[in-house]
Amino acid sequence: QSALTQPASVSGSPGQSITISCTGTSSDVGGYNYVAWYQQHPGKTPKLMIYDVTKRPSGVSNRFSGSNSGNTASLTISGLQAEDEADYYCSSCTSSSTYWVFGGGTKLTVL
Amino acid sequence: EVQLVESGGGLVQPGGSLKLSCAASGFSFSGSAMHWVRQASGKGLEWVGLIRSKTNNYATTYAASVKGRFTISRDDSKNTACLQMNSLKTDDTAVYFCARTLGGGFYYWGQGTLVTVSS
């Protein structure tokens, strides 16, 4: 069982917006501004989409945005496109001995 | 251009050992902490451990699932980080990535190397 909880799947139609949640505790998501989000297409290496809760690396579309409220972080993708279909993972630093934890992943389907 | 290239993966029997390497280029390796992350086939990502820079005394931290069995080391003269894996279990079967962070996220990833633990 993953330390951070994500929905197994979400779906949306092209052009719509979707939000993926990532729920942790005050020891990780709620305690640090180090939440990150990754996109992974089948057979590919994970790609960092959001770091430090809200920051986008250079080259990442501004259709991707991150936020945090208490122990739950969220990734919002606006203007869904077919190429957004992928697995998405969240991660956070943690004060536990594990030090860094990931969510179990969410499969995004673009209908 | 930042590059991370893992090597050393392969098939090993349960209880055996394997050493992975991560060759880095394109950035100040000696000043960077280096992480290992793994992913079993069809499963999610799991953080394995990290080694900090010389400034931070090369301190290491490990996930509970590998602590006491895995050891991370580095050779700054060769821009290389290593993951020594002992007492391997079938659950350790995964693709192993080395990674470097940007803020609180893993930005740079290697292509990964597959470790299969099976009799």
Side-chain angles (χ1 to χ4, degrees):
Chain A
Q1 190 170 354
S2 302
L4 305 179
T5 300
Q6 299 180 232
S9 64
V10 298
S11 63
S13 299
Q16 288 186 332
S17 294
I18 63 95
T19 297
I20 300 173
S21 62
C22 172
T23 301
T25 69
S26 58
S27 296
D28 38 64
V29 172
Y32 297 89
N33 287 324
Y34 286 145
V35 175
W37 291 91
Y38 309 85
Q39 176 191 67
Q40 188 178 34
H41 288 108
K44 301 296 186 182
T45 299
K47 176 184 179 182
L48 182 65
M49 307 302 285
I50 297 288
Y51 68 101
D52 296 355
V53 183
T54 61
K55 299 177 181 177
R56 277 188 308 273
S58 175
V60 172
S61 170
N62 59 10
R63 296 186 299 105
F64 293 82
S65 62
S67 63
N68 198 355
S69 178
N71 296 335
T72 298
S74 298
L75 171 71
T76 297
I77 308 174
S78 60
L80 267 181
Q81 299 179 0
E83 57 262 37
D84 298 333
E85 185 163 295
D87 293 325
Y88 290 84
Y89 296 91
C90 61
S91 72
S92 174
C93 287
T94 171
S95 59
S96 77
S97 59
T98 308
Y99 193 73
W100 217 293
V101 289
F102 284 94
T106 298
K107 182 176 180 59
L108 169 62
T109 300
V110 180
L111 302 170
Chain B
E1 178 192 6
V2 172
Q3 277 200 314
L4 299 173
V5 179
E6 302 92 341
S7 61
L11 175 64
V12 61
Q13 292 187 338
S17 298
L18 204 60
K19 186 173 185 177
L20 308 182
S21 295
C22 170
S25 61
F27 64 98
S28 173
F29 180 81
S30 62
S32 301
M34 296 301 297
H35 296 253
W36 288 90
V37 177
R38 68 184 181 182
Q39 185 172 34
S41 179
K43 302 296 184 180
L45 299 166
E46 180 185 14
W47 181 77
V48 173
L50 86 150
I51 185 165
R52 298 170 180 81
S53 66
K54 180 179 181 180
T55 303
N56 293 291
N57 299 315
Y58 300 125
T60 54
T61 305
Y62 301 93
S65 59
V66 306
K67 193 171 185 179
R69 301 187 298 122
F70 289 12
T71 302
I72 300 174
S73 61
R74 63 189 296 160
D75 184 340
D76 289 347
S77 68
K78 296 181 179 179
N79 285 1
T80 299
C82 292
L83 177 64
Q84 175 68 47
M85 303 183 294
N86 298 331
S87 302
L88 282 162
K89 307 174 182 179
T90 54
D91 285 350
D92 295 319
T93 295
V95 174
Y96 285 74
F97 300 97
C98 61
R100 180 191 172 213
T101 58
L102 171 65
F106 299 106
Y107 186 48
Y108 301 102
W109 297 72
Q111 84 287 353
T113 187
L114 176 62
V115 173
T116 302
V117 184
S118 175
S119 55

